[in-house]
Amino acid sequence: MSTAARVDPLSARHESALQFLCQRINYERTISLPYHTREFKLERMRELLDCLGNPQKNLRVVHVAGTKGKGSATAMISAVLTAAGYRTGAFTSPHLKRVEERLAIDGRICSESEFADLVDQISPAVREMDRIAANRSPAESGPTFFEVVTAMALLYFAQKKTDAAVLEVGLGGRLDSTNVCHPEVAVVTSISLDHTQQLGHTLAAIAREKAGIIKPGVPVVSGVTGEEPRQVIRETCRRLGCPLAELHVDFGFQYDPPSILQQSRQLGHIDFHYPGQNGQSELRRLALGLVGRHQAANAAVSVATLAALGRAGWTIPEQAIRQGLAGVAWPARVEVISRRPAIVVDAAHNLASIEALVEVLNESFGPARRLLIFATTQEKDVRGMLATLVKHFDRIVFTRYLNNPRSVAPEDLRTIAAELCGREYPVCAQPMEAWNLVRSWAMPEDIICVTGSFFIATEMRLQIQSRPLTMERVDVPAAFA
């Protein structure tokens, strides 16, 4: 056999594993996202885990829900626990480039070989569940993509004997496939309007879905500040007998933002205060690897979560908190990948996260001409996002991502923007065209921002890396390069 004809056995196994997953129902890639007990039901997830020996029962879990901030909080809590010497698994979603990113231990992404092994272990149970579902009813289906990957994560963390597993909720909470664990602490980072077709059209309705992760007697840490959703969290905790720590009630922070384009001010800081058992506790000048006042709030929620673990007997030294928070690198969260011009990639995909992005640009980047590449997803508050963006960017180009059918047509984005401000903006059918157009506009002193969804963030990161517009690059973490 010629060298060219040889097939790498590992690559073949990995490709087979990916093909198996691609055959599953994947609601991240459907035009309309459902959310009710026919498609999302924990009984199916529990049945799958029963077939695998219930690995979740061997895990000490921190469970993190929220409209925004849950991924960042998961990354921060995981980084601190790793720095404290605990072998820590982190399950996050969605991924930017490779599905393996969703499964990490101590910051190391699951390898292709490990990933293929996990699929080999789980696929017989999945196929048997498919067969049973098909025999029961044509309307029934076996485990979904997200359920399978969640089960793989739980199995992976159990087999690797992790000391802690930090699980980010995928959608909602009550019916999410991660909601099969009994956590050490339940966390709700924030509540705002997103996925309203699935979770409800009021903050209270969304809060009830998120509060579905709260278990009887389990401590809860909440970053929710709006009165309506906060009352839902409080009532759930009272009903289930859960100790509750709330941002701006039981703990708080002050934020000192960085000046991103000044080399001497690359990290922001928070002062965290918490009334502990022995009086007021304070941690001053905690450096943050993530940028923005919203990330400072996520950091405060994370430190309060670690304090709850400390009260339960976990040993988490102050130095571990400092090391973990300062060292977190979380791609596509106000990620600065160039400085002349400044290029910022952010996965903001709802009104609250767009407002947070604008706040960061105002607070940490200083005055400059702002150029925007924007694409987003169906069923989002497109008008609300654009109403904010058109006021804060000098030039905008609309495009669409190509790796998912849920993108909004750029012509539709242009129409909405014109209705809002009376200006006509260019559209590009593909991200590469949008990048080339912005390249032609940009001057070294400008700020270029890419935002609107995780999917456009993924595609544009690759475009920027392949066709950089920079004299001064910023290193991208190797795991996400």
Side-chain angles (χ1 to χ4, degrees), residues 123-174:
S123 57
V126 172
R127 291 191 174 102
E128 177 61 14
M129 290 179 66
D130 285 345
R131 185 189 66 78
I132 293 171
N135 289 338
R136 197 158 43 210
S137 167
E140 291 282 341
S141 64
T144 67
F145 171 89
F146 191 77
E147 288 168 342
V148 172
V149 176
T150 303
M152 289 169 61
L154 298 173
L155 185 62
Y156 183 52
F157 298 153
Q159 290 179 344
K160 295 296 183 180
K161 294 180 168 52
T162 57
D163 303 306
V166 188
L167 308 181
E168 178 192 359
V169 168
L171 174 65
R174 179 176 61 94

Side-chain angles (χ1 to χ4, degrees), residues 357-402:
L357 169 62
V358 169
E359 182 181 49
V360 174
L361 295 177
N362 292 338
E363 200 167 51
S364 292
F365 285 79
R369 190 175 69 143
R370 297 177 183 175
L371 315 176
L372 174 65
I373 297 174
F374 183 82
T376 195
T377 302
Q378 297 176 31
E379 297 186 351
K380 299 294 183 179
D381 180 9
V382 177
R383 184 172 293 272
M385 290 190 284
L386 289 180
T388 296
L389 292 169
V390 295
K391 293 184 291 188
H392 292 278
F393 283 86
D394 299 284
R395 304 190 75 171
I396 301 174
V397 57
F398 294 118
T399 187
R400 69 188 311 160
Y401 48 80
L402 305 179

Side-chain angles (χ1 to χ4, degrees), residues 197-219:
Q197 296 297 323
Q198 295 77 36
L199 305 181
H201 293 272
T202 67
L203 294 176
I206 294 172
R208 280 189 284 274
E209 290 294 330
K210 307 288 185 184
I213 71 166
I214 297 173
K215 307 296 191 303
V218 172

Side-chain angles (χ1 to χ4, degrees), residues 54-328:
N54 287 302
Q56 77 281 6
K57 293 184 177 180
N58 297 318
L59 300 174
R60 301 179 73 185
V61 169
V62 176
H63 201 188
V64 187
T67 303
K68 63 186 186 72
K70 61 184 183 294
S72 298
T74 297
M76 293 184 197
I77 295 166
S78 301
V80 172
L81 290 175
T82 292
Y86 293 101
R87 186 170 176 81
T88 305
F91 177 62
T92 58
S93 62
H95 60 275
L96 284 177
K97 186 176 179 182
R98 297 187 294 122
V99 67
E100 292 90 347
E101 295 167 21
R102 301 182 185 221
L103 289 65
I105 296 177
D106 293 338
R108 174 187 165 274
I109 293 171
C110 177
S111 70
E112 292 185 359
S113 175
E114 292 170 322
F115 195 81
D117 288 343
L118 290 167
V119 170
D120 285 346
Q121 293 175 66
I122 202 171
S123 57
V126 172
R127 291 191 174 102
E128 177 61 14
M129 290 179 66
D130 285 345
R131 185 189 66 78
I132 293 171
N135 289 338
R136 197 158 43 210
S137 167
E140 291 282 341
S141 64
T144 67
F145 171 89
F146 191 77
E147 288 168 342
V148 172
V149 176
T150 303
M152 289 169 61
L154 298 173
L155 185 62
Y156 183 52
F157 298 153
Q159 290 179 344
K160 295 296 183 180
K161 294 180 168 52
T162 57
D163 303 306
V166 188
L167 308 181
E168 178 192 359
V169 168
L171 174 65
R174 179 176 61 94
L175 297 177
D176 188 77
S177 65
T178 62
N179 200 26
V180 292
C181 61
H182 191 83
E184 305 274 310
V185 184
V187 183
V188 182
T189 57
S190 68
I191 300 292
S192 56
L193 294 175
D194 195 19
H195 295 298
T196 55
Q197 296 297 323
Q198 295 77 36
L199 305 181
H201 293 272
T202 67
L203 294 176
I206 294 172
R208 280 189 284 274
E209 290 294 330
K210 307 288 185 184
I213 71 166
I214 297 173
K215 307 296 191 303
V218 172
V220 176
V221 176
S222 172
V224 178
T225 56
E227 190 58 29
E228 183 182 5
R230 186 163 60 180
Q231 288 300 329
V232 173
I233 303 297
R234 287 175 175 174
E235 176 54 36
T236 303
C237 289
R238 280 195 294 267
R239 177 167 48 83
L240 297 178
C242 301
L244 171 63
E246 295 179 291
L247 178 62
H248 300 322
V249 176
D250 303 293
F251 63 94
F253 69 96
Q254 285 78 44
Y255 179 53
D256 178 21
S259 296
I260 296 297
L261 302 184
Q262 296 178 11
Q263 294 291 341
S264 60
R265 292 284 309 281
Q266 290 304 298
L267 296 182
H269 296 80
I270 65 167
D271 295 335
F272 174 85
H273 50 88
Y274 192 102
Q277 293 178 341
N278 300 317
Q280 182 76 13
S281 175
E282 189 170 39
L283 294 173
R284 295 184 59 83
R285 301 295 293 172
L286 296 173
L288 301 183
L290 301 182
V291 181
R293 193 168 296 274
H294 62 298
Q295 296 292 11
N298 293 331
V301 169
S302 299
V303 176
T305 302
L306 295 160
L309 290 174
R311 290 192 294 276
W314 296 59
T315 301
I316 305 171
E318 178 180 330
Q319 183 54 38
I321 295 174
R322 293 187 178 277
Q323 179 182 336
L325 293 183
V328 170

